[in-house]
Every structure is written in structure tokens, then in C-alpha cells.
């Protein structure tokens, strides 16, 4: 993990408290597959980035705890990959894909969609993370 203080504090805040073990499992999958966490000091968002061979960072996934725990698909990466994102979310019911709420957490304009992280979705979210890593690493690794 990076030594960035903001990132380290953000990762720890997600791993502690209610639902912390779920986040820890998801973060381990992403980091084991080469994605790098990046905490934002002005939001409660934790990004996971893929780094190209030329050093370019791509915001691939984001996590938020408020108002509910979600895995989010940053528009900067997923807007041009709408079909892939839809396919990845196919295992989730509509009620497990909450819409972003403007003014809460990250701006809804920054998300191309999200899935809830809870005890009922955790295994499917873990599978989604593995699949995202398989697709992203083959593209950017």
C-alpha cells in the first residue's frame, strides 16, 4: 500500500467499524491484482487506480460508505465502457444498484453506476472485483 497519509487513513477508516471486514476483503482482492488505492482528503471516497506502463493512472473503482456502502464505477473510466459495466452488474438486482445522490459523498456526475456492499451482495461484489481486475489488467498492465 502507498505511504500517502491521506490514503492510509482513508483505507483504515473503511476497514474499521461496521462493514470493515467486507471492505478489507475487497481491497485485498484489488491490491493483489495490482490496483492502487488513493484516498481523497475532501471526500469519503477511496479510489482504486490502474497504472499504465507509461505511469498514467485510471480511476477504475471507488468506494463510499455514505449514505450506504457502495462500490462505484467512476465515469472517467466507465463512460466509454458502458456495455462492460452493464455486463459486470448483471448479477445484481435493480434494488442492489442504488443511484448516486447529488451532494452526498461524491458528485453523482462522477459515477457511471454503483452496487451496494452488504452481507447479501458481498460474494457477488468480490466476483465483480476479480472480473474487473482481469479485464483492467489485461488492458492497462
Amino acid at each position: 500500500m502507498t505511504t500517502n497519509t491521506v490514503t492510509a487513513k482513508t483505507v483504515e477508516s473503511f476497514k474499521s467499524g461496521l462493514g470493515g471486514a467486507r471492505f478489507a476483503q475487497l481491497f485485498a482482492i484489488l491490491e493483489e491484482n495490482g490496483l492502487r488505492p488513493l484516498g481523497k482528503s475532501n471526500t469519503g471516497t477511496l479510489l482504486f487506480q490502474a497504472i499504465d506502463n507509461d505511469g498514467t493512472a485510471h480511476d477504475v473503482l471507488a468506494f463510499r460508505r455514505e449514505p450506504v456502502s457502495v462500490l462505484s464505477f467512476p465515469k472517467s473510466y466507465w463512460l466509454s465502457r458502458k456495455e462492460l459495466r452493464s455486463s459486470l452488474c448483471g448479477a445484481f438486482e435493480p434494488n442492489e444498484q442504488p443511484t448516486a445522490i447529488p451532494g452526498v459523498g461524491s458528485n453523482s456526475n462522477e459515477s457511471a453506476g454503483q452496487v451496494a456492499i452488504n452481507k447479501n451482495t458481498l460474494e457477488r461484489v468480490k466476483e465483480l472485483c476479480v472480473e474487473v481486475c482481469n479485464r483492467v489488467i489485461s488492458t492497462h498492465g
Side-chain angles (χ1 to χ4, degrees):
M1 165 143 73
T2 181
T3 58
N4 180 320
T5 306
V6 171
T7 296
K9 286 180 181 178
T10 305
V11 168
E12 278 310 306
S13 74
F14 272 88
K15 289 182 178 180
S16 64
L18 185 63
R22 292 182 195 126
F23 285 109
Q25 292 176 55
L26 298 170
F27 297 170
I29 291 168
L30 299 174
E31 290 184 272
E32 287 168 7
N33 283 281
L35 296 186
R36 180 180 74 183
L38 176 65
K40 298 285 193 170
S41 61
N42 59 343
T43 70
T45 300
L46 180 65
L47 293 170
F48 273 83
Q49 300 179 315
I51 310 300
D52 278 347
N53 292 330
D54 68 1
T56 303
H58 302 276
D59 297 341
V60 177
L61 294 174
F63 293 86
R64 286 190 293 282
R65 294 186 90 150
E66 301 292 331
V68 296
S69 296
V70 296
L71 176 151
S72 181
F73 297 89
K75 269 189 177 178
S76 60
Y77 187 81
W78 292 98
L79 194 59
S80 64
R81 296 167 177 87
K82 187 175 183 175
E83 282 188 27
L84 175 56
R85 187 191 57 77
S86 293
S87 172
L88 291 166
C89 293
F92 298 89
E93 297 296 324
N95 66 335
E96 296 172 328
Q97 299 181 55
T99 56
I101 300 170
V104 178
S106 182
N107 184 328
S108 64
N109 292 332
E110 297 174 10
S111 178
Q114 50 192 23
V115 294
I117 301 170
N118 57 47
K119 66 181 181 181
N120 296 323
T121 64
L122 181 61
E123 291 305 314
R124 289 175 284 150
V125 174
K126 287 166 52 176
E127 291 169 10
L128 183 150
C129 287
V130 169
E131 186 61 26
V132 165
C133 289
N134 289 339
R135 304 279 182 116
V136 168
I137 300 306
S138 67
T139 304
H140 298 290

